[in-house]
Amino acid sequence: MSNRIKKIKVGMASCGIAAGADELYKILEANGNGIPLEEVGCIGHCYAEPLIEVETDAGSIFYSVTDTKQATIDNIFNLGEASRFGISEIRAAKENVKITRLCGRISPTDIDEYIANGGYEALQKAQAMSSAEVIDEVKISGLRGRGGGGFPTGMKWGFMASKEADEKIIICNADEGDPGAFMDRSVMESVPHQLIEGMLIAAYATGSNKLFIYCRAEYPLAIKNLKIAIDQAYERKLNVINGKPLEIIIKEGAGAFVCGEETALIASLEGKRGMPRFRPPFPTDKGWNDFPSMINNVETFANVPVILAEGGAEYAKIGTEGSKGTKLFALAGDLENPGLIEVPMGITLAEIVFDIGGADRDSVKAVQTGGPSGGCIPVELFDTPVDYDSLKSLGAIMGSGGMIVIGQNRCMVETARYFLDFTHRESCGKCTFCRVGTKRMFETLERITAGAGEIADINFLEDMGTKVRSGSLCGLGQTAPNPVLATLCYFKDEYLSHIENRQCEALECPALVDVEIKQDKCIKCKLCIKNCPVNAVSDDFVIDNTLCTRCNSCIEVCPKDTIFRCKKGDGYYSG
Amino acid sequence: MSTDYSCLEQIDKNPGNLIKGLQTIQAEHSYIADEAIVATANYFSMAVVEVEGVVSFYAQFKRTQPGKFQICVCDGTACHIKGSTLMLDWISTELKIADGETDADGFFSLETAACLGCCSLAPVMSVNGKVFGNLDRKATLKILKEYRKK
Ligand SMILES: Cc1cc2nc3c(=O)[nH]c(=O)nc-3n(C[C@H](O)[C@H](O)[C@H](O)COP(=O)(O)O)c2cc1C
Ligand code: FES
């Protein structure tokens, strides 16, 4: 056979490992007769995990290996046709993979491989320029902060460069607090050197001497890979800028969403409770231990080497008037192909959700952008281009890049309740409107979803939402009402149906649904009776909905799919 | 017998390292006992209330001893949309413990997290840090059964 296997790369980012990549790695190792294996990060096609890339003399072949049967493994070593994986043409045409070009393609912990692929060239190039020229290049690129705020990065760097102090601090915000987003995790796990390179360029441009990475503790693999990468950068003396070695310190967060806010993050870095404070003074004036400190997001830093390599003007060719470059999105929820995508700014939501995500056009109701600070956008508005300003005009935000597709079978009132449950618990408690207002809003939503809401509740939500927005110091409170106000704007009929008819059309809210067994199709196998935790199914297969907790256990075990949820009181058979 | 908190000694006494100190204790002892708070306060020369204030602020810190196997159900947005509430219900019913509790023999404890970063495999849960994805009821109960045998 002429087509020799040179190497097999196994996607071993968190998503791959969760899908079973580590077991697969061991099996490939045992069966491989010494073929070199390499652990790589994530190429973004998480729906196909575990994914491997078989490098041969004639190019690479990808396999999506969902089982470890001997035949499957043999098929891979024989370069068989089965379970081959290819990126769909339509996705390939819509994506523009620049920032994540090396994600999943190289070993995250092999600095030589990063360098062989052009890594750290941008840092060299930057150091051959003056620091003002580097900042100009970033300004020309039009890069805006990827952490959610969208502040022009070059301008921030300019402020920082103008400060005189004994110590100047650069902080990478790797807190990734949006529950349902994993762009930063993927970058840190897959190409930690790219983040470090971006930070070192920032340090050079702004004359900073200490670098922090504040990473959430839920990301152990990201922390591990970053530590290895930092040690390697030290070894090569890449951290020596203007003749002085800079320290890069990783600090682990401790599970508080508000610590993603920059002043709270600084308090947390100082070992204190993560309470935001009033700005000004801005961190670039008074930050960590009162030294000038500049905070950027992981993805923002990861863009920097690309900008320096190709030049700001070239970078700015992609995107829209006010939003340049490409953006990473973490696609999840009700769609065929969840994963990490990189698209040019200005692409429409429809292209992302349907063409790239493979969601079914008839079953999508909305998409949530910006997590708990964002809003939902109904499918009718999917022609909207994705950029900072367009999304804002719809009452949503770009946010950091979490994008959750919501299907027709999800209840929007329940979704709003979910987000308020999150924000009211995560409020640090400093501002009364945020602390108490979000709690009252949450309780109101609980009432509505429990079928005990009143029409006055809608006015209350709108009124309180506006007050919480204006009466809060930091972005958490200022944006917490967004999910409620957005759903009230686009899905008011769902609220009304919960309140006036005591019905949940999506059949999600437990208090407003019944469960019943379709008698004519039932094969009387008794699995539902055996699995019901509260004995709500009678011997003659009728569900007592006064006992039933709507846990769906019977629906999950029924081999004939004869058990289903229906609107409260609509059941034909059930009691 | 008093517990040994010498693991603190590898950390610089600067109060900026308080969170790191607490994380080190939790990594070693799996939770932060009252004694640990006093020991930490002494070590960093801080008031006990200051340490208590930081511990209670951050969700990561546990004040009671968790079980041998710590089950963490993700309730991030993606997992919530994909039915994490039901999953929590199934586990809770099976193990007869609620969110935040540990079972009587200290074997399993159950908690929720705001996102484990594997949203594309939603719904997910982790047991002692190992993440399992694409779970339905059958798969969830099977995982519990396998850990029971350990
Ligand atoms: C409640 C709250 C949570 C935030 N969480 C994050 C986060 O997890 N990651 C992040 O990069 N920025 C987060 N931000 C935004 C930061 O405050 C800050 O704007 C950002 O890190 C600046 O970096 P950038 O200009 O590169 O975007 C959050 C802001 C608020 C108000
Ligand atoms: S939402 Fe569950 S892993 Fe992110």
Side-chain angles (χ1 to χ4, degrees):
Chain A
M1 251 200 252
S2 63
N3 205 0
R4 192 177 53 96
I5 298 179
K6 292 197 290 195
K7 192 200 262 181
I8 298 182
K9 298 179 183 175
V10 186
M12 304 245 310
S14 300
C15 39
I17 293 177
D22 47 355
E23 276 109 290
L24 175 64
Y25 186 94
K26 284 185 203 130
I27 293 171
L28 290 174
E29 199 168 34
N31 287 266
N33 288 324
I35 291 174
L37 291 181
E38 182 172 67
E39 294 183 21
V40 296
C42 169
I43 61 164
H45 295 258
C46 309
Y47 55 91
E49 301 276 14
L51 254 178
I52 64 168
E53 177 181 351
V54 182
E55 267 185 23
T56 71
D57 291 329
S60 283
I61 304 168
F62 287 90
Y63 287 95
S64 166
V65 197
T66 45
D67 69 77
T68 48
K69 292 190 191 106
Q70 195 59 43
T72 312
I73 302 299
D74 292 343
N75 174 62
I76 294 168
F77 287 111
N78 296 329
L79 301 177
E81 293 296 325
S83 66
R84 282 196 184 192
F85 169 79
I87 298 171
S88 77
E89 268 170 43
I90 182 151
R91 172 160 177 173
K94 301 278 177 188
E95 266 198 302
N96 187 346
V97 181
K98 288 174 69 178
I99 310 305
T100 53
R101 178 179 67 96
L102 297 177
C103 283
R105 294 302 171 86
I106 61 169
S107 162
T109 51
D110 183 345
I111 190 170
D112 289 319
E113 207 174 353
Y114 181 64
I115 291 173
N117 284 281
Y120 289 110
E121 271 170 26
L123 176 62
Q124 258 182 7
K125 194 170 166 188
Q127 284 174 295
M129 298 157 68
S130 75
S131 51
E133 283 167 347
V134 176
I135 295 180
D136 277 343
E137 216 53 59
V138 177
K139 280 186 181 157
I140 293 167
S141 76
L143 176 65
R144 291 171 67 175
R146 301 296 195 230
F151 191 82
T153 306
M155 209 193 284
K156 203 188 269 187
W157 288 26
F159 293 152
M160 185 65 174
S162 68
K163 306 290 177 228
E164 299 280 344
D166 297 342
E167 293 219 56
K168 288 168 74 174
I169 318 296
I170 285 190
I171 300 168
C172 171
N173 189 342
D175 198 42
E176 192 146 77
D178 171 2
F182 51 91
M183 302 76 50
D184 297 348
R185 171 187 67 72
S186 233
V187 168
M188 290 186 286
E189 286 178 354
S190 309
V191 282
H193 280 293
Q194 193 171 330
L195 168 60
I196 293 167
E197 183 175 7
M199 291 183 72
L200 289 169
I201 294 173
Y204 172 74
T206 58
S208 305
N209 62 329
K210 206 186 195 90
L211 280 57
F212 283 108
I213 302 175
Y214 185 89
C215 184
R216 68 187 310 209
E218 286 86 346
Y219 289 172
L221 183 61
I223 293 169
K224 183 176 149 223
N225 287 357
L226 278 170
K227 280 190 176 147
I228 297 174
I230 290 171
D231 285 344
Q232 292 173 340
Y234 280 0
E235 236 167 70
R236 306 282 170 110
K237 304 213 170 10
L238 291 163
N239 62 324
V240 178
I241 307 280
N242 288 332
K244 276 193 238 119
L246 311 188
E247 214 182 341
I248 310 174
I249 303 158
I250 299 181
K251 285 263 188 174
E252 280 181 48
F257 173 59
V258 74
C259 286
E261 196 280 336
E262 49 188 29
T263 58
L265 190 153
I266 290 171
S268 182
L269 269 185
E270 292 168 349
K272 302 181 191 140
R273 289 162 69 94
M275 306 277 259
R277 64 156 173 80
F278 189 72
R279 293 177 303 182
F282 288 93
T284 41
D285 291 309
K286 229 175 168 191
W288 182 79
N289 287 349
D290 290 345
F291 295 117
S293 306
M294 185 179 83
I295 303 187
N296 275 132
N297 164 263
V298 172
E299 191 186 329
T300 312
F301 281 123
N303 268 272
V304 171
V306 177
I307 292 173
L308 265 289
E310 67 181 19
E314 182 65 27
Y315 180 93
K317 282 186 185 158
I318 294 176
T320 62
E321 182 65 33
S323 311
K324 299 296 183 194
T326 55
K327 176 84 194 82
L328 309 186
F329 287 100
L331 267 184
D334 293 317
L335 76 173
E336 204 48 40
N337 303 329
L340 186 78
I341 63 165
E342 180 173 350
V343 289
M345 293 275 194
I347 190 172
T348 66
L349 284 166
E351 288 173 289
I352 292 183
V353 174
F354 300 129
D355 298 342
I356 298 178
D360 173 16
R361 280 172 198 271
D362 297 326
S363 66
V364 171
K365 188 192 278 190
V367 67
Q368 174 85 17
T369 63
S373 312
C376 59
I377 299 167
V379 67
E380 298 80 46
L381 298 176
F382 273 18
D383 289 337
T384 310
V386 174
D387 61 47
Y388 290 98
D389 312 303
S390 309
L391 293 184
K392 207 164 183 179
S393 70
L394 296 181
I397 57 166
M398 166 98 87
S400 56
M403 208 177 254
I404 309 281
V405 179
I406 301 174
Q408 291 289 354
N409 56 341
R410 315 288 173 189
C411 170
M412 298 310 289
V413 190
E414 157 57 26
T415 310
R417 188 204 64 81
Y418 164 79
F419 283 120
L420 263 287
D421 183 19
F422 180 80
T423 34
H424 99 271
R425 281 185 284 119
E426 293 294 336
S427 166
C428 80
K430 186 166 182 164
C431 308
T432 314
F433 271 104
C434 176
R435 181 182 69 244
V436 185
T438 53
K439 177 125 200 220
R440 293 292 163 268
M441 289 177 79
F442 167 67
E443 287 163 356
T444 308
L445 290 162
E446 284 255 284
R447 236 184 2 256
I448 298 175
T449 51
E454 288 162 28
I455 281 293
D457 287 339
I458 293 189
N459 297 335
F460 173 79
L461 287 173
E462 279 167 343
D463 181 50
M464 185 54 82
T466 359
K467 285 179 176 148
V468 171
R469 208 179 239 178
S470 52
S472 301
L473 177 67
C474 87
L476 191 151
Q478 286 162 6
T479 58
N482 286 356
V484 184
L485 297 175
T487 42
L488 272 172
C489 172
Y490 299 117
F491 298 100
K492 198 167 206 164
D493 54 326
E494 293 197 24
Y495 282 84
L496 290 174
S497 164
H498 280 71
I499 294 170
E500 290 174 340
N501 312 331
R502 305 281 187 237
Q503 293 293 359
C504 173
E505 305 286 335
L507 304 179
E508 215 189 343
C509 298
L512 301 179
V513 297
D514 282 341
V515 179
E516 79 165 343
I517 301 175
K518 253 198 182 133
Q519 301 291 346
D520 46 352
K521 296 227 179 85
C522 172
I523 52 163
K524 318 249 180 294
C525 69
K526 294 196 174 159
L527 273 176
C528 50
I529 298 181
K530 272 187 219 140
N531 280 282
C532 178
V534 292
N535 296 325
V537 192
S538 71
D539 291 340
D540 48 355
F541 305 95
V542 176
I543 295 175
D544 182 345
N545 275 295
T546 58
L547 294 178
C548 169
T549 60
R550 281 65 172 170
C551 76
N552 274 26
S553 294
C554 54
I555 298 178
E556 294 262 332
V557 294
C558 179
K560 292 283 168 198
D561 292 334
T562 66
I563 314 183
F564 57 95
R565 289 181 167 212
C566 61
K567 285 191 199 169
K568 185 145 205 79
D570 261 14
Y572 181 73
Y573 303 101
S574 55
Chain B
M1 200 188 79
S2 71
T3 321
D4 177 14
Y5 293 113
S6 55
C7 58
L8 277 174
E9 271 148 38
Q10 49 180 303
I11 296 162
D12 187 79
K13 282 201 171 162
N14 174 353
N17 288 329
L18 173 60
I19 295 175
K20 178 111 188 268
L22 292 165
Q23 284 169 333
T24 310
I25 291 185
Q26 182 155 304
E28 178 118 350
H29 299 277
S30 70
Y31 77 112
I32 313 272
D34 290 345
E35 281 175 69
I37 291 195
V38 176
T40 314
N42 287 338
Y43 186 78
F44 289 106
S45 312
M46 297 171 88
V48 172
V49 287
E50 277 181 274
V51 178
E52 180 84 56
V54 168
V55 171
S56 65
F57 186 86
Y58 293 100
Q60 185 192 17
F61 297 124
K62 297 187 175 66
R63 293 288 273 117
T64 51
Q65 171 111 47
K68 182 173 169 204
F69 295 111
Q70 303 180 33
I71 302 172
C72 182
V73 175
C74 176
D75 193 28
T77 317
C79 293
H80 188 81
I81 292 270
K82 289 286 202 176
S84 60
T85 320
L86 294 173
M87 209 160 93
L88 189 66
D89 203 356
W90 300 326
I91 299 175
S92 196
T93 308
E94 180 69 19
L95 302 179
K96 302 189 179 60
I97 47 174
D99 178 15
E101 290 179 357
T102 303
D103 63 8
D105 35 6
F107 200 71
F108 283 118
S109 52
L110 181 58
E111 59 179 357
T112 51
C115 177
L116 299 173
C118 296
C119 324
S120 41
L121 304 175
V124 310
M125 72 172 186
S126 69
V127 183
N128 286 1
K130 181 170 165 53
V131 179
F132 300 87
N134 291 327
L135 296 171
D136 55 10
R137 183 171 180 272
K138 202 169 151 198
T140 311
L141 297 180
K142 193 169 156 223
I143 292 166
L144 297 185
K145 214 171 178 177
E146 268 158 29
Y147 276 96
R148 266 237 172 83
K149 283 189 233 148
K150 293 193 181 177

